[in-house]
Amino acid sequence: MSTYEIDDAREWRLDDAGRGQTIEPETEDDEYEEDLPVREKEVDSILNWTIRPKQRGGAGDLPMDLLIWGDAAQVQEACHALDEWIKRSEFSIPAMVSRKAMPSVHPITTKQKKSYEAQLLERTQKDLFRQTPEKGINFAVTGSYLWCLVEKPSKVFGSSYEALDPIRMFHGCYIIYDETVSTFKVLANATIHVEGAINSIANLLCEYATRKSAVVEKYLVDPPDLDTVRAAVEVVDTSFSDRPSSERVEKLPRLTGESLTQVELEGWQAYSKSLTQDNQKTMQQAIVRQILRLRYFRGRIQMRAHMGIFALNNFRWLPNNLSSVSLKWFIENLKMPGTKGTLHQVRTMGRESHEMIVRTREAVHLFEPVDAQTPELVDVIPFYSALFLFGPNSGRQIKLQIDTSPVFGIYGVHEVTHRKWLETNLEIGPPLQIFNIRLQGGISWKLQIAAENNVETSRVTPSMSKFASGIRYEVQNRIPNSTEPSKAVFWFDLTPGLLSFVQKTVWRYRLRAHGSYVFEVARYDTFHVRDRRLLNTVWGGSIHNESWDQMLSTNATMRSGAVASWVPSQEVFFPPKVQRNVGEHEAGFADFLTTLQSIVNFLNKENLK
């Protein structure tokens, strides 16, 4: 039993069941410390009652007795609160969870102290250069940047021009906007600081223009060879959705009609050669134009050539609803504005679910392991990624992506390399997409430059953050057999708003013909979020140059107002297989197309659909 006291000089004694009884007060006055601990004062102010430990001199006094001042209702409320605290202190699993929510005090570490000091210094410098300098201060150098956009600076840089704060801090200058003349004034004591700040403002505007620029999409047709070419093209209705509620019909373009005559074949051969040259020129111009802009883009950028099944979402068809159109008419009308298409991953219904990875492991004449220490293709260790989708069934949704990679030198051990929240708004497309459509069936490809759309921190709820921190993964300590069914290696607890879970497994192989290119085979397994039951599996393939990731990765760590250090040229992004003459700057891009076509032919060898 515990002893409590109320303000009418009587004591209540409560037993374990919470029943109280009045006892006679002590004859001697209780003495209390005048200097109360800060913790007890806070409890008094919050709960509106007083709790003090009993101070008695007798040897038989209980050291855990507490005295409470207040009326009967306040005493009962205090007793209930104390009982809850006592239950939390018990050693059990629920108690351990409750203890995490209770306040605690820990000594600050050296690393934390340095981090806090750096944050304080950053805030101090930011506030210093954000303010207008005091009157009477003279600066050695001043500069001006004329605002030439239709949008107001507050729309580009923020209401208080907070986007310019990193530039102020980096160059140690003041940046003030004069609305009367629409000019940013830069004030500093060195010419290099003023010039650097002005150049950074210009680069920041280039980044704004890059993000606002229109998405570049090109739809090009791979000319059919003389053996498969036909006179017309038809479209076949199909759907790539497994959920009837969201079923969407798309169009698969296919060659149809009779074979061409000998005269028509001779004309098609000349047209095919001209079409190939035009397609290559269109791709080169679009790529060079985009990589010039991407120098100013801050964020994670990825460049890949993906393989899959092409389907049309929107296309200008003849008004009389003909079942087919001529081949040349179809090729020319793909260039019309409004044309939209999608490259879908390879489905496995009705076929061996692991056929793609089996055939890749057997193609020793095309591929070799990326890691020199891996002896054979069958010994390649896969990479694992988890894709979690949050949000309502319709509307803006958020995707959590967790990437892992094998630890070098430790077999069977993986580590998390990236954990990021991304926006899935379909209105924000990749900066560049060039589709190369194969009309005779099989695998088409697209060259894509994609920029990640990071989610604002305010949209990530505490429950979603807790879910992300609690994800676990158990990777097999052996190479998975290609004939084994897909298994989930990520473990997680259910949370409100979780819509789907997709596990991505990637095998990487180097091309023997061109060692700087890497071919990736990706398997996407969709599991049920409750029991992790496998729902469906699709396969995808992609090819990229290792230099692309090395160069574009620097954009992810660029400061505000900076520009990437890599050279935006075709020769840098598409290096030739062998050293060519100085004037042959297109040799590397031609090697890339040849390498890509060899992979497409390999995937189409068995008409994989």
Side-chain angles (χ1 to χ4, degrees):
M1 294 191 299
S2 303
T3 303
Y4 305 86
E5 185 173 332
I6 58 177
D7 56 356
D8 58 354
R10 295 179 300 168
E11 287 190 7
W12 279 26
R13 186 179 300 275
L14 298 181
D15 55 15
D16 296 336
R19 297 185 296 269
Q21 57 182 351
T22 305
I23 61 175
E24 295 298 329
E26 296 290 335
T27 56
E28 57 183 13
D29 296 335
D30 296 329
E31 296 180 359
Y32 306 95
E33 295 181 359
E34 304 244 346
D35 188 10
L36 300 176
V38 177
R39 184 70 177 169
E40 294 177 355
K41 291 182 180 179
E42 293 177 355
V43 173
D44 295 346
S45 62
I46 296 174
L47 303 180
N48 294 322
W49 60 59
T50 304
I51 303 178
R52 299 288 182 270
K54 274 190 99 167
Q55 304 291 332
R56 296 182 178 177
D61 295 333
L62 296 176
M64 299 301 294
D65 285 359
L66 298 175
L67 300 179
I68 302 177
W69 281 265
D71 55 25
Q74 291 175 335
V75 170
Q76 293 291 345
E77 186 178 359
C79 295
H80 179 71
L82 290 172
D83 290 338
E84 291 295 328
W85 290 350
I86 292 173
K87 290 179 181 180
R88 291 184 180 182
S89 65
E90 296 177 356
F91 187 81
S92 62
I93 298 300
M96 296 297 293
V97 178
S98 301
R99 286 181 181 179
K100 295 181 180 179
M102 299 181 67
S104 59
V105 179
H106 302 281
I108 186 172
T109 62
T110 304
K111 182 178 180 181
Q112 290 175 333
K113 184 178 180 181
K114 292 181 179 179
S115 176
Y116 294 152
E117 291 177 350
Q119 294 176 7
L120 179 60
L121 179 61
E122 180 181 356
R123 288 196 299 266
T124 303
Q125 291 180 346
K126 184 182 298 184
D127 294 338
L128 173 63
F129 292 111
R130 180 182 295 178
Q131 300 171 358
T132 303
E134 298 180 0
K135 295 182 178 180
I137 300 180
N138 296 324
F139 295 94
V141 184
T142 61
S144 301
Y145 186 86
L146 181 63
W147 185 257
C148 56
L149 298 184
V150 177
E151 296 88 345
K152 293 183 178 180
S154 57
K155 184 179 180 180
V156 179
F157 299 140
S159 58
S160 60
Y161 310 126
E162 58 269 16
L164 299 177
D165 291 342
I167 299 177
R168 295 186 179 102
M169 297 169 54
F170 184 80
H171 296 285
C173 62
Y174 291 88
I175 302 177
I176 306 170
Y177 181 66
D178 190 350
E179 296 183 357
T180 58
V181 291
S182 299
T183 301
F184 279 98
K185 295 183 178 180
V186 182
L187 312 176
N189 291 319
T191 304
I192 188 174
H193 294 165
V194 174
E195 292 179 349
I198 292 177
N199 292 333
S200 297
I201 295 175
N203 294 337
L204 206 58
L205 288 180
C206 291
E207 180 188 1
Y208 175 78
T210 299
R211 293 180 180 274
K212 294 297 182 181
S213 60
V215 175
V216 177
E217 288 188 354
K218 302 292 182 181
Y219 296 89
L220 310 176
V221 174
D222 183 20
D225 53 33
L226 298 179
D227 297 332
T228 59
V229 65
R230 295 293 184 269
V233 176
E234 65 176 354
V235 291
V236 181
D237 293 345
T238 186
S239 176
F240 289 87
S241 175
D242 295 324
R243 295 178 296 177
S245 60
S246 63
E247 186 173 0
R248 182 181 60 181
V249 177
E250 295 175 295
K251 306 287 186 179
L252 291 177
R254 290 290 183 267
L255 292 176
T256 186
E258 299 180 355
S259 303
L260 301 184
T261 63
Q262 185 62 32
V263 177
E264 291 174 335
L265 286 177
E266 293 177 359
W268 171 254
Q269 188 174 8
Y271 177 79
S272 175
K273 182 178 180 181
S274 175
L275 180 61
T276 301
Q277 294 175 353
D278 292 342
N279 289 348
Q280 183 171 341
K281 183 178 179 180
T282 300
M283 285 188 286
Q284 288 177 305
Q285 292 176 349
I287 293 171
V288 172
R289 188 182 302 113
Q290 284 303 104
I291 61 179
L292 282 172
R293 298 175 180 176
L294 290 178
R295 291 184 304 161
Y296 306 98
F297 192 94
R298 287 182 299 122
R300 299 186 63 86
I301 307 174
Q302 192 176 68
M303 186 172 177
R304 292 288 189 274
H306 298 277
M307 291 83 169
I309 306 297
F310 177 79
L312 282 169
N313 306 116
N314 189 30
F315 177 66
R316 176 179 176 269
W317 201 252
L318 292 179
N320 52 1
N321 295 324
L322 294 178
S323 59
S324 63
V325 294
S326 66
L327 175 57
K328 291 184 179 180
W329 188 94
F330 179 82
I331 293 175
E332 294 300 325
N333 278 266
L334 277 178
K335 304 176 184 178
M336 296 294 293
T339 301
K340 294 293 180 182
T342 307
L343 196 71
H344 293 275
Q345 293 148 350
V346 180
R347 306 170 69 82
T348 59
M349 294 189 302
R351 301 184 63 88
E352 173 62 40
S353 60
H354 302 279
E355 180 179 354
M356 183 177 288
I357 186 63
V358 171
R359 293 181 54 219
T360 305
R361 289 176 173 176
E362 295 175 352
V364 294
H365 62 289
L366 286 178
F367 310 112
E368 62 183 6
V370 175
D371 186 4
Q373 297 184 356
T374 304
E376 302 293 341
L377 294 179
V378 295
D379 300 323
V380 173
I381 301 176
F383 294 68
Y384 295 94
S385 299
L387 307 174
F388 300 94
L389 187 63
F390 291 85
N393 292 327
S394 61
R396 298 182 63 185
Q397 298 176 340
I398 299 177
K399 179 175 67 176
L400 170 63
Q401 179 175 337
I402 298 178
D403 299 330
T404 67
S405 63
V407 178
F408 179 77
I410 306 179
Y411 184 78
V413 179
H414 286 61
E415 62 180 355
V416 176
T417 56
H418 294 99
R419 181 182 284 108
K420 46 200 172 185
W421 295 92
L422 303 175
E423 177 71 61
T424 60
N425 188 2
L426 298 180
E427 297 179 359
I428 306 176
L432 175 67
Q433 290 191 117
I434 302 177
F435 293 85
N436 190 274
I437 305 167
R438 182 184 174 94
L439 296 177
Q440 58 267 43
I443 302 298
S444 301
W445 60 268
K446 72 173 178 179
L447 181 62
Q448 182 185 70
I449 299 178
E452 293 181 351
N453 301 315
N454 295 324
V455 176
E456 298 178 0
T457 309
S458 58
R459 292 194 59 196
V460 181
T461 63
S463 61
M464 294 165 61
S465 300
K466 183 179 179 181
F467 170 84
S469 60
I471 295 176
R472 308 171 303 280
Y473 59 95
E474 299 178 1
V475 180
Q476 299 177 355
N477 58 359
R478 61 181 178 84
I479 301 174
N481 193 330
S482 59
T483 60
E484 293 180 353
S486 303
K487 296 181 180 180
V489 300
F490 292 89
W491 298 79
F492 53 90
D493 299 326
L494 289 178
T495 186
L498 179 60
L499 300 179
S500 64
F501 162 49
V502 178
Q503 179 175 290
K504 178 181 177 182
T505 309
V506 178
W507 291 266
R508 297 177 179 175
Y509 305 94
R510 189 181 305 279
L511 273 71
R512 291 185 178 273
H514 202 320
S516 61
Y517 285 97
V518 175
F519 176 60
E520 294 184 350
V521 178
R523 184 183 67 200
Y524 299 85
D525 300 312
T526 302
F527 294 92
H528 198 281
V529 294
R530 292 187 178 275
D531 55 8
R532 302 199 312 161
R533 173 171 41 89
L534 181 63
L535 299 179
N536 69 334
T537 300
V538 294
W539 289 82
S542 65
I543 184 175
H544 71 278
N545 195 297
E546 290 181 316
S547 62
W548 297 350
D549 290 346
Q550 296 174 2
M551 290 185 294
L552 297 178
S553 62
T554 59
N555 289 58
T557 57
M558 281 198 321
R559 60 174 179 83
S560 179
V563 62
S565 58
W566 44 265
V567 179
S569 66
Q570 180 177 303
E571 295 84 351
V572 173
F573 275 80
F574 300 96
K577 181 168 55 175
V578 295
Q579 189 65 31
R580 306 293 181 91
N581 296 329
V582 179
E584 299 180 4
H585 62 280
E586 298 182 357
F589 189 76
D591 291 342
F592 163 72
L593 294 179
T594 303
T595 303
L596 183 58
Q597 192 62 41
S598 65
I599 300 299
V600 173
N601 294 338
F602 163 73
L603 296 178
N604 282 315
K605 185 176 181 180
E606 300 294 336
N607 196 20
L608 187 62
K609 298 181 180 178

